[in-house]
CSV table of all heavy atoms in Angstrom, one decimal:
chain,number,residue,atom,x,y,z
O,1,GLN,N,5.3,-9.3,15.8
O,1,GLN,CA,4.5,-10.1,14.9
O,1,GLN,C,3.6,-9.3,14.0
O,1,GLN,O,2.8,-9.9,13.2
O,1,GLN,CB,3.7,-11.1,15.8
O,1,GLN,CG,4.5,-12.1,16.6
O,1,GLN,CD,3.7,-12.9,17.6
O,1,GLN,OE1,2.6,-12.5,17.9
O,1,GLN,NE2,4.3,-13.9,18.1
O,2,ASP,N,3.6,-8.0,14.1
O,2,ASP,CA,2.7,-7.1,13.4
O,2,ASP,C,3.2,-6.9,12.0
O,2,ASP,O,4.3,-6.4,11.8
O,2,ASP,CB,2.6,-5.8,14.1
O,2,ASP,CG,1.8,-4.7,13.4
O,2,ASP,OD1,1.0,-5.1,12.5
O,2,ASP,OD2,1.9,-3.5,13.6
O,3,PRO,N,2.5,-7.4,11.0
O,3,PRO,CA,2.9,-7.2,9.6
O,3,PRO,C,3.0,-5.7,9.2
O,3,PRO,O,3.6,-5.4,8.1
O,3,PRO,CB,1.9,-8.0,8.8
O,3,PRO,CG,0.7,-8.0,9.6
O,3,PRO,CD,1.2,-8.1,11.0
O,4,LEU,N,2.4,-4.8,9.9
O,4,LEU,CA,2.3,-3.4,9.6
O,4,LEU,C,3.3,-2.6,10.4
O,4,LEU,O,3.3,-1.4,10.4
O,4,LEU,CB,0.9,-2.8,9.8
O,4,LEU,CG,-0.2,-3.5,9.0
O,4,LEU,CD1,-1.5,-2.9,9.4
O,4,LEU,CD2,0.1,-3.5,7.5
O,5,GLN,N,4.2,-3.3,11.2
O,5,GLN,CA,5.1,-2.6,12.1
O,5,GLN,C,5.9,-1.5,11.5
O,5,GLN,O,6.2,-0.5,12.1
O,5,GLN,CB,5.9,-3.6,12.9
O,5,GLN,CG,6.9,-4.4,12.0
O,5,GLN,CD,7.7,-5.4,12.8
O,5,GLN,OE1,8.5,-5.0,13.7
O,5,GLN,NE2,7.6,-6.7,12.5
O,6,ASN,N,6.4,-1.7,10.3
O,6,ASN,CA,7.3,-0.8,9.7
O,6,ASN,C,6.7,0.6,9.3
O,6,ASN,O,7.4,1.6,9.0
O,6,ASN,CB,8.0,-1.4,8.4
O,6,ASN,CG,8.9,-2.5,8.8
O,6,ASN,OD1,9.5,-2.5,9.9
O,6,ASN,ND2,9.1,-3.5,7.9
O,7,PHE,N,5.4,0.6,9.2
O,7,PHE,CA,4.7,1.9,8.8
O,7,PHE,C,4.9,3.0,9.9
O,7,PHE,O,4.8,4.2,9.5
O,7,PHE,CB,3.2,1.6,8.5
O,7,PHE,CG,3.0,1.0,7.2
O,7,PHE,CD1,2.8,-0.4,7.1
O,7,PHE,CD2,2.9,1.7,6.0
O,7,PHE,CE1,2.6,-1.0,5.9
O,7,PHE,CE2,2.7,1.1,4.8
O,7,PHE,CZ,2.5,-0.3,4.8
O,8,LYS,N,5.2,2.6,11.1
O,8,LYS,CA,5.4,3.6,12.1
O,8,LYS,C,6.6,4.5,11.7
O,8,LYS,O,6.6,5.7,12.0
O,8,LYS,CB,5.7,2.9,13.4
O,8,LYS,CG,5.8,3.8,14.7
O,8,LYS,CD,6.0,3.0,15.9
O,8,LYS,CE,6.1,3.9,17.2
O,8,LYS,NZ,4.7,4.4,17.5
O,9,GLN,N,7.5,3.9,11.0
O,9,GLN,CA,8.7,4.7,10.7
O,9,GLN,C,8.5,5.6,9.5
O,9,GLN,O,9.3,6.4,9.1
O,9,GLN,CB,9.9,3.7,10.3
O,9,GLN,CG,10.2,2.7,11.3
O,9,GLN,CD,10.4,3.3,12.7
O,9,GLN,OE1,11.2,4.2,12.8
O,9,GLN,NE2,9.9,2.7,13.7
O,10,ALA,N,7.3,5.5,8.9
O,10,ALA,CA,6.9,6.4,7.8
O,10,ALA,C,6.3,7.7,8.2
O,10,ALA,O,5.9,8.5,7.3
O,10,ALA,CB,6.0,5.6,6.8
O,11,PHE,N,6.3,8.0,9.5
O,11,PHE,CA,5.6,9.2,10.0
O,11,PHE,C,6.5,10.0,10.9
O,11,PHE,O,7.4,9.4,11.6
O,11,PHE,CB,4.3,8.8,10.7
O,11,PHE,CG,3.2,8.3,9.8
O,11,PHE,CD1,3.2,7.0,9.4
O,11,PHE,CD2,2.3,9.2,9.3
O,11,PHE,CE1,2.2,6.5,8.6
O,11,PHE,CE2,1.3,8.7,8.5
O,11,PHE,CZ,1.2,7.4,8.1
O,12,HIS,N,6.3,11.3,10.9
O,12,HIS,CA,7.0,12.2,11.9
O,12,HIS,C,6.2,12.2,13.2
O,12,HIS,O,5.0,12.5,13.1
O,12,HIS,CB,7.1,13.6,11.3
O,12,HIS,CG,8.1,13.7,10.1
O,12,HIS,ND1,9.4,13.5,10.3
O,12,HIS,CD2,7.8,13.9,8.8
O,12,HIS,CE1,10.0,13.7,9.1
O,12,HIS,NE2,9.0,13.9,8.2
O,13,PHE,N,6.8,12.0,14.3
O,13,PHE,CA,6.2,12.1,15.6
O,13,PHE,C,6.7,13.4,16.3
O,13,PHE,O,7.9,13.7,16.3
O,13,PHE,CB,6.5,10.9,16.5
O,13,PHE,CG,5.7,9.7,16.1
O,13,PHE,CD1,6.0,8.9,15.0
O,13,PHE,CD2,4.6,9.3,16.9
O,13,PHE,CE1,5.3,7.8,14.7
O,13,PHE,CE2,3.9,8.2,16.6
O,13,PHE,CZ,4.2,7.4,15.5
O,14,PRO,N,5.8,14.1,17.0
O,14,PRO,CA,6.3,15.2,17.9
O,14,PRO,C,7.1,14.5,19.0
O,14,PRO,O,7.0,13.4,19.3
O,14,PRO,CB,5.0,15.8,18.5
O,14,PRO,CG,3.9,15.4,17.5
O,14,PRO,CD,4.3,14.1,16.9
O,15,ARG,N,7.9,15.4,19.6
O,15,ARG,CA,8.8,14.8,20.7
O,15,ARG,C,8.5,15.4,22.0
O,15,ARG,O,8.0,16.6,22.1
O,15,ARG,CB,10.3,15.2,20.3
O,15,ARG,CG,10.7,14.7,19.0
O,15,ARG,CD,11.1,13.2,19.0
O,15,ARG,NE,12.3,13.0,19.7
O,15,ARG,CZ,12.9,11.7,19.9
O,15,ARG,NH1,12.2,10.7,19.4
O,15,ARG,NH2,14.0,11.6,20.5
O,16,HIS,N,8.7,14.6,23.0
O,16,HIS,CA,8.5,15.1,24.4
O,16,HIS,C,9.7,14.5,25.3
O,16,HIS,O,9.8,13.3,25.3
O,16,HIS,CB,7.2,14.6,25.0
O,16,HIS,CG,7.0,14.9,26.4
O,16,HIS,ND1,6.6,16.2,26.9
O,16,HIS,CD2,7.1,14.2,27.5
O,16,HIS,CE1,6.5,16.2,28.2
O,16,HIS,NE2,6.8,15.0,28.6
O,17,GLN,N,10.5,15.4,25.8
O,17,GLN,CA,11.6,15.0,26.6
O,17,GLN,C,12.5,13.9,25.9
O,17,GLN,O,12.8,12.9,26.4
O,17,GLN,CB,11.2,14.4,28.0
O,17,GLN,CG,10.5,15.4,28.8
O,17,GLN,CD,10.0,14.9,30.2
O,17,GLN,OE1,10.0,13.7,30.4
O,17,GLN,NE2,9.6,15.8,31.1
O,18,ASP,N,12.8,14.3,24.6
O,18,ASP,CA,13.7,13.5,23.8
O,18,ASP,C,13.2,12.1,23.4
O,18,ASP,O,14.0,11.2,23.2
O,18,ASP,CB,15.1,13.4,24.5
O,18,ASP,CG,15.8,14.7,24.6
O,18,ASP,OD1,15.7,15.5,23.7
O,18,ASP,OD2,16.5,14.9,25.7
O,19,ARG,N,11.9,12.0,23.4
O,19,ARG,CA,11.3,10.8,23.0
O,19,ARG,C,10.0,11.1,22.2
O,19,ARG,O,9.3,12.1,22.5
O,19,ARG,CB,10.9,10.0,24.3
O,19,ARG,CG,10.5,8.5,24.0
O,19,ARG,CD,10.3,7.8,25.3
O,19,ARG,NE,10.1,6.4,25.0
O,19,ARG,CZ,9.9,5.4,26.0
O,19,ARG,NH1,10.0,5.8,27.3
O,19,ARG,NH2,9.7,4.2,25.6
O,20,ASP,N,9.7,10.2,21.3
O,20,ASP,CA,8.4,10.4,20.6
O,20,ASP,C,7.2,10.4,21.5
O,20,ASP,O,7.2,9.6,22.5
O,20,ASP,CB,8.2,9.2,19.6
O,20,ASP,CG,9.1,9.3,18.4
O,20,ASP,OD1,9.8,10.3,18.2
O,20,ASP,OD2,9.2,8.3,17.6
O,21,VAL,N,6.3,11.3,21.3
O,21,VAL,CA,5.1,11.3,22.1
O,21,VAL,C,4.3,10.0,21.8
O,21,VAL,O,4.4,9.4,20.8
O,21,VAL,CB,4.2,12.5,21.9
O,21,VAL,CG1,5.0,13.8,22.2
O,21,VAL,CG2,3.6,12.5,20.5
O,22,ILE,N,3.4,9.7,22.8
O,22,ILE,CA,2.4,8.6,22.5
O,22,ILE,C,1.3,9.4,21.8
O,22,ILE,O,0.5,10.2,22.4
O,22,ILE,CB,1.9,8.0,23.8
O,22,ILE,CG1,3.1,7.3,24.5
O,22,ILE,CG2,0.8,7.0,23.5
O,22,ILE,CD1,2.8,6.9,26.0
O,23,TYR,N,1.1,9.1,20.5
O,23,TYR,CA,0.2,9.9,19.7
O,23,TYR,C,-1.1,9.1,19.5
O,23,TYR,O,-1.2,8.3,18.6
O,23,TYR,CB,0.8,10.3,18.4
O,23,TYR,CG,0.0,11.5,17.7
O,23,TYR,CD1,0.2,12.8,18.1
O,23,TYR,CD2,-0.9,11.2,16.8
O,23,TYR,CE1,-0.5,13.8,17.6
O,23,TYR,CE2,-1.7,12.3,16.2
O,23,TYR,CZ,-1.4,13.6,16.6
O,23,TYR,OH,-2.1,14.6,16.0
O,24,PHE,N,-2.1,9.4,20.3
O,24,PHE,CA,-3.4,8.8,20.1
O,24,PHE,C,-4.5,9.8,19.8
O,24,PHE,O,-5.6,9.9,20.3
O,24,PHE,CB,-3.8,8.1,21.5
O,24,PHE,CG,-3.0,6.9,21.8
O,24,PHE,CD1,-3.0,6.3,23.1
O,24,PHE,CD2,-2.2,6.3,20.8
O,24,PHE,CE1,-2.3,5.2,23.4
O,24,PHE,CE2,-1.4,5.1,21.2
O,24,PHE,CZ,-1.5,4.6,22.4
O,25,CYS,N,-4.1,10.6,18.8
O,25,CYS,CA,-5.0,11.8,18.4
O,25,CYS,C,-5.3,11.8,16.9
O,25,CYS,O,-5.6,12.9,16.4
O,25,CYS,CB,-4.4,13.1,18.9
O,25,CYS,SG,-5.6,14.3,19.3
O,26,GLY,N,-5.1,10.7,16.2
O,26,GLY,CA,-5.4,10.6,14.8
O,26,GLY,C,-6.8,10.9,14.4
O,26,GLY,O,-7.1,11.1,13.3
O,27,ASN,N,-7.7,10.8,15.4
O,27,ASN,CA,-9.1,11.1,15.2
O,27,ASN,C,-9.3,12.6,15.1
O,27,ASN,O,-10.4,13.0,14.8
O,27,ASN,CB,-10.0,10.5,16.3
O,27,ASN,CG,-9.6,10.9,17.7
O,27,ASN,OD1,-8.4,11.2,17.9
O,27,ASN,ND2,-10.5,11.0,18.6
O,28,SER,N,-8.3,13.4,15.4
O,28,SER,CA,-8.4,14.8,15.4
O,28,SER,C,-7.5,15.4,14.3
O,28,SER,O,-7.9,16.2,13.4
O,28,SER,CB,-8.0,15.4,16.7
O,28,SER,OG,-8.3,16.8,16.8
O,29,LEU,N,-6.2,15.0,14.3
O,29,LEU,CA,-5.3,15.3,13.2
O,29,LEU,C,-4.3,14.2,13.1
O,29,LEU,O,-3.5,13.9,14.1
O,29,LEU,CB,-4.6,16.7,13.5
O,29,LEU,CG,-3.6,17.1,12.4
O,29,LEU,CD1,-4.3,17.5,11.2
O,29,LEU,CD2,-2.7,18.3,13.0
O,30,GLY,N,-4.2,13.6,11.9
O,30,GLY,CA,-3.2,12.6,11.7
O,30,GLY,C,-1.8,13.1,11.6
O,30,GLY,O,-1.6,14.3,11.4
O,31,LEU,N,-0.8,12.2,11.8
O,31,LEU,CA,0.6,12.6,11.8
O,31,LEU,C,1.0,12.9,10.3
O,31,LEU,O,0.3,12.4,9.4
O,31,LEU,CB,1.5,11.5,12.3
O,31,LEU,CG,1.3,11.3,13.9
O,31,LEU,CD1,2.2,10.1,14.3
O,31,LEU,CD2,1.7,12.5,14.7
O,32,GLN,N,2.1,13.6,10.2
O,32,GLN,CA,2.6,13.9,8.8
O,32,GLN,C,3.4,12.7,8.3
O,32,GLN,O,4.4,12.3,8.9
O,32,GLN,CB,3.5,15.1,8.8
O,32,GLN,CG,4.1,15.5,7.5
O,32,GLN,CD,5.1,16.6,7.5
O,32,GLN,OE1,6.2,16.5,6.9
O,32,GLN,NE2,4.8,17.6,8.3
O,33,PRO,N,3.0,12.1,7.1
O,33,PRO,CA,3.8,11.1,6.5
O,33,PRO,C,5.2,11.7,6.0
O,33,PRO,O,5.2,12.8,5.6
O,33,PRO,CB,3.0,10.6,5.3
O,33,PRO,CG,1.6,11.1,5.7
O,33,PRO,CD,1.7,12.4,6.4
O,34,LYS,N,6.2,10.9,6.1
O,34,LYS,CA,7.5,11.4,5.8
O,34,LYS,C,7.7,11.6,4.3
O,34,LYS,O,8.6,12.4,3.8
O,34,LYS,CB,8.6,10.5,6.3
O,34,LYS,CG,8.8,10.5,7.8
O,34,LYS,CD,9.9,9.5,8.2
O,34,LYS,CE,10.0,9.5,9.8
O,34,LYS,NZ,11.0,8.5,10.2
O,35,ASN,N,6.8,11.0,3.5
O,35,ASN,CA,6.9,11.2,2.0
O,35,ASN,C,6.2,12.5,1.5
O,35,ASN,O,6.3,12.8,0.4
O,35,ASN,CB,6.3,10.0,1.3
O,35,ASN,CG,4.8,9.8,1.6
O,35,ASN,OD1,4.2,10.5,2.4
O,35,ASN,ND2,4.2,8.9,0.8
O,36,VAL,N,5.6,13.3,2.5
O,36,VAL,CA,4.9,14.5,2.1
O,36,VAL,C,5.9,15.6,1.6
O,36,VAL,O,5.6,16.3,0.6
O,36,VAL,CB,4.0,15.0,3.2
O,36,VAL,CG1,3.5,16.4,3.0
O,36,VAL,CG2,2.8,14.1,3.4
O,37,ALA,N,7.0,15.8,2.3
O,37,ALA,CA,7.9,16.8,1.9
O,37,ALA,C,8.4,16.7,0.5
O,37,ALA,O,8.3,17.7,-0.2
O,37,ALA,CB,9.1,16.8,2.9
O,38,ALA,N,8.7,15.5,0.1
O,38,ALA,CA,9.2,15.4,-1.3
O,38,ALA,C,8.1,15.6,-2.3
O,38,ALA,O,8.2,16.2,-3.4
O,38,ALA,CB,9.8,14.0,-1.5
O,39,ALA,N,6.9,15.1,-1.9
O,39,ALA,CA,5.7,15.3,-2.8
O,39,ALA,C,5.4,16.8,-3.0
O,39,ALA,O,5.0,17.2,-4.1
O,39,ALA,CB,4.5,14.5,-2.2
O,40,MET,N,5.4,17.5,-1.8
O,40,MET,CA,5.2,18.9,-1.9
O,40,MET,C,6.3,19.6,-2.7
O,40,MET,O,5.9,20.5,-3.5
O,40,MET,CB,5.1,19.5,-0.5
O,40,MET,CG,4.6,20.9,-0.4
O,40,MET,SD,2.8,21.0,-0.7
O,40,MET,CE,2.2,20.3,0.8
O,41,GLN,N,7.5,19.2,-2.6
O,41,GLN,CA,8.6,19.9,-3.3
O,41,GLN,C,8.4,19.6,-4.8
O,41,GLN,O,8.8,20.5,-5.6
O,41,GLN,CB,9.9,19.3,-2.8
O,41,GLN,CG,11.1,20.1,-3.4
O,41,GLN,CD,11.1,21.5,-3.0
O,41,GLN,OE1,11.0,21.8,-1.8
O,41,GLN,NE2,11.2,22.4,-3.9
O,42,THR,N,7.9,18.5,-5.2
O,42,THR,CA,7.7,18.2,-6.6
O,42,THR,C,6.7,19.2,-7.2
O,42,THR,O,7.0,19.8,-8.3
O,42,THR,CB,7.1,16.8,-6.8
O,42,THR,OG1,8.0,15.8,-6.4
O,42,THR,CG2,6.7,16.5,-8.2
O,43,GLU,N,5.7,19.6,-6.5
O,43,GLU,CA,4.7,20.5,-7.1
O,43,GLU,C,5.3,22.0,-7.0
O,43,GLU,O,5.0,22.8,-7.8
O,43,GLU,CB,3.4,20.4,-6.4
O,43,GLU,CG,2.8,19.0,-6.4
O,43,GLU,CD,2.7,18.4,-7.7
O,43,GLU,OE1,2.7,19.1,-8.8
O,43,GLU,OE2,2.8,17.1,-7.8
O,44,LEU,N,6.1,22.2,-5.9
O,44,LEU,CA,6.7,23.6,-5.9
O,44,LEU,C,7.7,23.7,-7.0
O,44,LEU,O,7.8,24.8,-7.6
O,44,LEU,CB,7.5,23.7,-4.5
O,44,LEU,CG,6.6,23.9,-3.3
O,44,LEU,CD1,7.4,23.8,-2.0
O,44,LEU,CD2,5.8,25.2,-3.3
O,45,ASP,N,8.4,22.6,-7.4
O,45,ASP,CA,9.4,22.7,-8.5
O,45,ASP,C,8.6,22.9,-9.8
O,45,ASP,O,9.1,23.7,-10.7
O,45,ASP,CB,10.2,21.4,-8.6
O,45,ASP,CG,11.2,21.3,-7.4
O,45,ASP,OD1,11.4,22.3,-6.7
O,45,ASP,OD2,11.6,20.1,-7.2
O,46,THR,N,7.5,22.2,-10.0
O,46,THR,CA,6.7,22.4,-11.2
O,46,THR,C,6.2,23.8,-11.3
O,46,THR,O,6.3,24.4,-12.4
O,46,THR,CB,5.5,21.4,-11.2
O,46,THR,OG1,6.0,20.1,-11.1
O,46,THR,CG2,4.6,21.6,-12.4
O,47,TRP,N,5.7,24.4,-10.2
O,47,TRP,CA,5.3,25.8,-10.2
O,47,TRP,C,6.4,26.7,-10.5
O,47,TRP,O,6.3,27.7,-11.4
O,47,TRP,CB,4.7,26.1,-8.8
O,47,TRP,CG,4.1,27.5,-8.7
O,47,TRP,CD1,3.7,28.3,-9.6
O,47,TRP,CD2,3.8,28.1,-7.4
O,47,TRP,NE1,3.1,29.5,-9.1
O,47,TRP,CE2,3.2,29.4,-7.7
O,47,TRP,CE3,4.0,27.8,-6.1
O,47,TRP,CZ2,2.8,30.3,-6.8
O,47,TRP,CZ3,3.6,28.7,-5.1
O,47,TRP,CH2,3.0,29.9,-5.4
O,48,ARG,N,7.6,26.5,-9.9
O,48,ARG,CA,8.7,27.4,-10.2
O,48,ARG,C,9.2,27.3,-11.6
O,48,ARG,O,9.5,28.3,-12.2
O,48,ARG,CB,9.9,27.0,-9.2
O,48,ARG,CG,11.1,27.9,-9.3
O,48,ARG,CD,12.3,27.4,-8.5
O,48,ARG,NE,12.8,26.2,-8.9
O,48,ARG,CZ,12.8,25.1,-8.2
O,48,ARG,NH1,12.3,25.0,-7.0
O,48,ARG,NH2,13.3,23.9,-8.7
């Protein structure tokens, strides 16, 4: 019933024993959004 449920799939989770960890540490370091790699590559391409 969560209207935001799909956003979970937009992030990379560390793994533990072949399963996503339970990540309750965003108050220290947030997870990496999956769209970051392409965004970073865009600027690397521009630089190159």
Side-chain angles (χ1 to χ4, degrees):
Q1 296 172 347
D2 174 19
L4 304 178
Q5 61 179 301
N6 291 332
F7 284 95
K8 188 179 183 69
Q9 307 307 315
F11 289 86
H12 293 289
F13 283 77
R15 303 281 288 180
H16 175 80
Q17 297 180 351
D18 296 324
R19 189 173 188 180
D20 288 351
V21 302
I22 300 169
Y23 197 82
F24 290 166
C25 210
N27 57 331
S28 188
L29 180 69
L31 293 177
Q32 181 187 133
K34 291 180 179 177
N35 62 352
V36 166
M40 192 72 72
Q41 190 62 51
T42 294
E43 306 310 333
L44 288 171
D45 292 345
T46 299
W47 183 19
R48 183 185 67 241

